[in-house]
Amino acid sequence: SGNIVIDSLINHAYAAAQKDNVQFNVNILVPASLPFESGHLVIVLGNLLETALEACRNIPDEKGFISLDISYAKDIFQLCIKNNYQAKRKKDIIGHYITTKGDNIYHGLGLSSINHAIENYHGQMDITDNDNIFQVIIVMYGSYSLIRFMISCSVNGKFKKELSWNI
């Protein structure tokens, strides 16, 4: 792709997938420079790739697969990652995924970290989990229209309070 952060993460994941005999298909169409903080890209893509690789390692007979599509056009970053898995996924009482690992103090923070990172770009995350296929779609916006509404309140001509909203 030419983007050093994305390329580094994908090359690392690709090498790990080859080592573990996981089929790894990638389709990337992004410019070398993106309007997102590198740390946020690492949180999003790094967590998703690591989780997908881990799930595929537990599939017998080398039948694990990961499919990754990333594009950036018209200030919209889109990422779709799919992988198969064998182990049962767990959710808490409000429907959030929780770690299947025994050590839940240091694990199980990936999806919430991703959510926090994409909120910086008015992003959204959609998770689908059907027939042992886990899919995550991420959308982030490279720029957004900033409209500022202001209401000034004055009493007897003296400034009293100003309220504003960013939309």
Side-chain angles (χ1 to χ4, degrees), residues 38-160:
S38 295
H40 291 146
L41 288 173
V42 169
I43 289 169
V44 172
L45 187 55
N47 274 297
L48 291 172
L49 286 169
E50 188 58 40
T51 302
L53 283 165
E54 195 169 301
C56 288
R57 286 183 187 119
N58 296 323
I59 296 174
D61 302 325
E62 302 173 358
K63 294 192 180 190
F65 78 86
I66 298 170
S67 174
L68 176 65
D69 292 289
I70 302 175
S71 65
Y72 184 75
K74 297 182 181 180
D75 289 330
I76 300 173
F77 177 89
Q78 297 178 64
L79 179 153
C80 178
I81 187 167
K82 276 188 234 189
N83 64 274
N84 56 347
Y85 66 90
Q86 185 173 13
K88 184 80 173 149
R89 298 287 165 236
K90 296 180 185 177
K91 292 183 181 181
D92 62 17
I93 58 173
I94 56 174
H96 293 127
Y97 286 92
I98 57 176
T99 187
T100 56
K101 297 175 186 164
D103 180 7
N104 62 1
I105 292 175
Y106 296 106
H107 298 285
L109 303 173
L111 290 175
S112 62
S113 296
I114 291 167
N115 231 350
H116 187 68
I118 67 174
E119 283 175 355
N120 290 289
Y121 310 100
H122 302 278
Q124 295 124 356
M125 175 168 55
D126 180 63
I127 301 171
T128 308
D129 184 1
N130 292 320
D131 299 324
N132 285 28
I133 305 291
F134 194 79
Q135 175 180 283
V136 178
I137 297 172
I138 302 282
V139 177
M140 296 190 302
Y141 301 95
S143 66
Y144 60 94
S145 298
L146 180 62
I147 303 169
R148 190 169 174 103
F149 292 100
M150 298 178 72
I151 300 173
S152 296
C153 301
S154 61
V155 177
N156 295 332
K158 293 186 178 181
F159 177 76
K160 198 71 170 161

